[in-house]
Amino acid sequence: MTTLPIRGPVRIIGIDPGLRRTGWGVIEAEGNRLIYVACGSVEPPDDLPLASRLLAIHEGLAAVLSSHKPMEAAVEQTFVNKDGVATLKLGQARGVAMLAPAMFGISVAEYAPNQVKKTVVGAGHADKQQIAMMLKILLPKADPPSADAADALAIAITHAHHRQSTALRLKVAGL
């Protein structure tokens, strides 16, 4: 039986994209151990035009990426709702959330909202309170200032749990 090589901790940023608030959360994963690093949100002023808000989100995320130096990133996939215009605008914020880490050479994984909830809480239709309760258990030192920051930490946790299977799938596919 061969043993796997011991690896150091992997720093992961989770990003919950939004035009009003883009949440971010940074954790370190070492095996099954999760360590809280930091969290917060980028909040561009509501009165800015769309392009300026997207720029503010990019600059805010770039500052977080420079400061915390994650090795991997995870972004929540867009939830499609009945308002097509709002969904398109959210998709633009999501594009910026994926672009920022990519510009730093960081690989970006994507997770559906139900997968995040199922990974963290155990149920795909969990509410924000259930996520907050599990965050207190999984990351006792974390005290997210907003629901967006809490969601971003949950996205990072999801990536920590699924990153090995994602890497294996890419390896098998020859990518």
Side-chain angles (χ1 to χ4, degrees):
M1 182 164 119
T2 61
T3 59
L4 295 173
I6 298 173
R7 297 182 186 179
V10 175
R11 189 165 281 200
I12 300 166
I13 185 169
I15 303 173
D16 182 28
L19 281 173
R20 293 177 192 252
R21 276 180 309 280
T22 293
W24 59 270
V26 180
I27 65 170
E28 285 189 357
E30 188 169 14
N32 290 332
R33 186 171 166 221
L34 301 174
I35 303 159
Y36 168 75
V37 176
C39 69
S41 59
V42 177
E43 301 179 24
D46 287 337
D47 60 346
L48 288 178
L50 178 60
S52 298
R53 290 170 85 178
L54 294 172
L55 176 61
I57 293 168
H58 182 271
E59 289 174 342
L61 289 175
V64 170
L65 293 162
S66 291
S67 175
H68 294 289
K69 301 191 182 343
M71 300 168 201
E72 297 176 8
V75 176
E76 189 171 66
Q77 291 175 342
T78 302
F79 175 76
V80 178
N81 58 32
K82 294 177 185 173
D83 183 357
V85 173
T87 301
L88 285 171
K89 287 181 180 177
L90 177 59
Q92 291 170 330
R94 188 171 169 276
V96 170
M98 294 179 73
L99 174 68
M103 289 182 72
F104 280 77
I106 300 169
S107 64
V108 181
E110 302 173 63
Y111 297 97
N114 284 350
Q115 185 178 12
V116 173
K117 292 172 183 176
K118 188 167 186 163
T119 300
V120 174
V121 178
H125 297 286
D127 62 26
K128 301 258 183 208
Q129 281 184 319
Q130 290 172 304
I131 291 172
M133 182 65 78
M134 284 306 295
L135 284 178
K136 288 179 183 177
I137 294 167
L138 296 171
L139 301 170
K141 293 182 180 179
D143 187 20
S146 68
D148 301 288
D151 287 349
L153 286 170
I155 295 162
I157 290 169
T158 300
H159 183 65
H161 286 281
H162 294 283
R163 63 186 290 276
Q164 297 293 6
S165 61
T166 301
L168 180 61
R169 277 195 306 267
L170 290 174
K171 189 174 184 180
V172 169
L175 300 175

